Amino acid sequence: MITRKPVRNGGTVKITFALPDEGLPMSVVGDFNAWDPHAHPLRRRSNGTRSAVVELEQGRIYAFRYLAEGGTFLDDPAADGFEPNGYGGTHGVVRC
């Protein structure tokens, strides 16, 4: 699940990336954080999800995926679209 909230006077958008909590540590990685798995870990929430909020520049498109502990990548079915990732798979995109 992806939700957006414009930031006033900043030219940025707060994007919340969220998934059901399946008990495994996860992070959101993308070209907004140099695909760094430590930059945006998904935090466990009381509503049974894990989520992270990332502030991104408005008017841009960003590639992203979720990375589970152990190196498994997951796509978000709520992504704004999908594109080839150059490794035989896809990654999601989010438009801000």
Side-chain angles (χ1 to χ4, degrees):
M1 174 176 50
I2 300 169
T3 58
R4 297 164 178 80
K5 183 177 181 182
V7 177
R8 291 182 184 216
N9 303 322
T12 60
V13 177
K14 284 187 180 182
I15 305 291
T16 301
F17 295 93
L19 291 175
D21 184 4
E22 296 184 6
L24 294 173
M26 299 190 92
S27 61
V28 61
V29 296
D31 49 17
F32 51 84
N33 64 11
W35 300 87
D36 179 356
H38 303 288
H40 296 101
L42 299 181
R43 305 274 186 222
R44 200 174 244 171
R45 306 294 179 204
S46 61
N47 65 358
T49 65
R50 286 182 180 262
S51 66
V53 177
V54 181
E55 196 167 317
L56 301 174
E57 185 179 332
Q58 197 169 22
R60 294 195 50 201
I61 298 172
Y62 297 89
F64 78 97
R65 293 190 90 182
Y66 297 107
L67 179 60
E69 185 175 61
T72 302
F73 284 99
L74 304 166
D75 287 320
D76 190 327
D80 294 330
F82 298 92
E83 59 186 28
N85 65 10
Y87 297 99
T90 61
H91 54 241
V93 295
V94 62
R95 293 176 180 85
C96 296

